Amino acid sequence: MSEIYQAYIDMEIYGEAEKGQEFCHEIFLRQGNYAIELTAEDEDVDLDLYITDDEGEVLYKDESDDSGAAAWFDVYKTGVFRLYVKAYGDTEYTVALTEQDDDE
């Protein structure tokens, strides 16, 4: 009998933000545990992060005054999810998303 191996997601999304704008990145995720990290190139610029499911339910939000955000979150069903980045200044940013092994 053959074994089935699962490849875990490890991706980065790059964007360029201008003050007052909100950007939406749609991604397809399967059920599981994820780590996410938002970083701004300009550490003086505040970025907020929101993660919603396909019905608009907020799974995670960071509205702190920091230039980035980091969190672990669970995806309870496979589907399309939206990552919103809201900018309070001009900067380039990176969103790193990594699926976590259940043993981690």
Side-chain angles (χ1 to χ4, degrees):
M1 181 174 204
S2 63
E3 293 185 48
I4 298 175
Y5 296 95
Q6 180 173 343
Y8 290 96
I9 294 172
D10 188 12
M11 74 168 78
E12 289 186 345
I13 301 169
Y14 302 96
E16 188 171 337
E18 293 181 13
K19 185 176 182 177
Q21 291 185 330
E22 182 175 89
F23 299 89
C24 178
H25 303 281
E26 289 188 334
I27 57 173
F28 182 84
L29 298 175
R30 62 179 166 235
Q31 184 176 356
N33 304 313
Y34 294 85
I36 190 164
E37 184 173 3
L38 169 66
T39 55
E41 186 176 292
D42 182 344
E43 295 180 3
D44 293 329
V45 174
D46 176 19
L47 295 177
D48 290 346
L49 175 66
Y50 307 87
I51 303 169
T52 66
D53 64 13
D54 60 347
E55 296 174 2
E57 181 179 336
V58 177
L59 302 177
Y60 172 78
K61 69 178 176 179
D62 179 297
E63 296 175 329
S64 69
D65 293 336
D66 297 332
S67 62
W72 294 74
F73 68 100
D74 295 323
V75 170
Y76 53 89
K77 66 178 181 176
T78 299
V80 176
F81 293 81
R82 291 173 184 84
L83 307 176
Y84 294 93
V85 177
K86 186 171 183 178
Y88 295 93
D90 299 343
T91 188
E92 293 181 6
Y93 65 87
T94 303
V95 178
L97 183 69
T98 306
E99 186 175 6
Q100 303 298 301
D101 186 337
D102 289 336
D103 296 334
E104 292 184 33

